[in-house]
Amino acid sequence: MNIDQAIKDRRSIRGFTDEPVSQELLEEIIELANRAPSSMNTQPWHLHVLTGEPLEQVRRGNTERMLGGVPPSREIEDYAAYEGEHRDRQIEIAVQLFEAMGIERHDKERRQDWVMRGFRQFDAPVSVVVCFDRSLLTNTIAHFDTGAMTYGLVLAAWSRGLGAVINGQGIMQSPVVREVANIPDDQVILTCVALGWPDDNFVANSVVSRRRPTANTARFLGFDG
Ligand SMILES: Cc1cc2nc3c(=O)[nH]c(=O)nc-3n(C[C@H](O)[C@H](O)[C@H](O)COP(=O)(O)O)c2cc1C
């Protein structure tokens, strides 16, 4: 697949078939993701790839704690709720997803169901837990570098027919993930990527999120001679 095509067509996938993904294929994808640029070539990231029983344990732990009212526990600095145009975009994509799924605005049960799916990492067969070196916790560049690698991972997966969704929900109860995956103390959990073969019958997988036009995201200076 040509790179423009992969970038253009990729979208977050939130419904998967039960078909497993081989370790060999995951290694191939990670090898490509590892080619990401990083500040001074520091390569601050570490990936923990879960499937089978360990992933089920994470799902169970996440679900039990969320349902039990345990407040979310992340390892990166907690952010305030989005406001203004960011909040507007957050709502826009939620509306698109709920409309596709036929979830009514006031249908609390199905909305809750959707949120719980997120905490189960959309029942994906694989979860890639994305960490970076704790020594760089306050170094924003390390977050940038790890994000660049993660996008490469998702694109490499997409070009092989795999679907993925980068998601904070799956590591919302980070202590569970840390314990089950035995994450070393010198690493910080940043996010995770739920990954698998897309279920073509899952309607939310067709949702194409909107983007601002280029004219609203970039300025050009000195081009008119
Ligand atoms: C850091 C990060 C965290 C995200 N967390 C979630 C999440 O918890 N749940 C979810 O459904 N999608 C999550 N997403 C996916 C975004 O909602 C999605 O990328 C965005 O709406 C654009 O849609 P697209 O990926 O289909 O282009 C996350 C994406 C990123 C980059």
Side-chain angles (χ1 to χ4, degrees):
M1 191 186 285
N2 146 322
I3 185 147
D4 288 16
Q5 201 65 45
I7 292 173
K8 199 162 170 282
D9 291 350
R10 183 215 59 85
R11 54 195 183 275
S12 288
I13 294 298
R14 298 180 176 87
F16 303 89
T17 70
D18 293 336
E19 198 185 331
V21 183
S22 73
Q23 183 170 331
E24 197 184 17
L25 183 53
L26 291 162
E27 283 172 358
E28 187 180 302
I29 289 165
I30 292 168
E31 195 173 329
L32 285 167
N34 275 335
R35 296 300 310 165
S38 58
S39 174
M40 317 281 177
N41 201 22
T42 42
Q43 305 170 53
W45 52 80
H46 301 272
L47 302 176
H48 304 266
V49 190
L50 277 60
T51 193
E53 188 46 31
L55 180 51
E56 288 310 320
Q57 279 180 37
V58 168
R59 288 197 232 280
R60 275 199 300 275
N62 245 340
T63 304
E64 279 164 19
R65 284 170 62 122
M66 292 310 295
L67 286 175
V70 179
S73 177
R74 298 283 304 263
E75 296 190 350
I76 49 171
E77 201 176 323
D78 226 355
Y79 40 77
Y82 289 125
E83 291 176 1
E85 60 188 284
H86 303 130
R87 175 76 180 147
D88 294 344
R89 291 185 199 122
Q90 179 185 5
I91 291 170
E92 183 182 56
I93 185 63
V95 168
Q96 279 185 273
L97 289 167
F98 285 165
E99 265 175 12
M101 294 297 292
I103 302 174
E104 302 280 346
R105 204 177 142 75
H106 301 292
D107 190 341
K108 279 202 178 125
E109 201 173 309
R110 289 195 64 205
R111 285 173 83 105
Q112 168 76 354
D113 215 52
W114 177 262
V115 172
M116 293 319 294
R117 269 183 73 82
F119 291 123
R120 296 198 309 272
Q121 299 191 44
F122 302 94
D123 300 321
V126 173
S127 169
V128 181
V129 180
V130 178
C131 298
F132 67 99
D133 290 313
R134 189 178 294 281
S135 59
L136 301 175
L137 180 58
T138 57
N139 182 333
T140 313
I141 296 171
H143 305 197
F144 176 96
D145 294 340
T146 307
M149 178 282 301
T150 307
Y151 186 37
L153 180 100
V154 167
L155 284 179
W158 184 267
S159 79
R160 282 158 179 73
L162 283 162
V165 58
I166 302 169
N167 70 97
Q169 281 175 290
I171 46 98
M172 204 59 99
Q173 296 287 352
S174 284
V176 173
V177 186
R178 174 163 288 284
E179 191 187 328
V180 172
N182 200 13
I183 309 279
D185 285 343
D186 61 358
Q187 296 177 23
V188 174
I189 302 174
L190 179 63
T191 193
C192 71
V193 183
L195 194 147
W197 301 103
D199 175 355
D200 294 332
N201 298 317
F202 190 75
V203 282
N205 285 349
S206 318
V207 168
V208 176
S209 55
R210 301 191 187 103
R211 293 295 185 274
R212 289 178 287 158
T214 306
N216 290 1
T217 51
R219 290 172 64 230
F220 295 87
L221 292 95
F223 284 86
D224 40 9

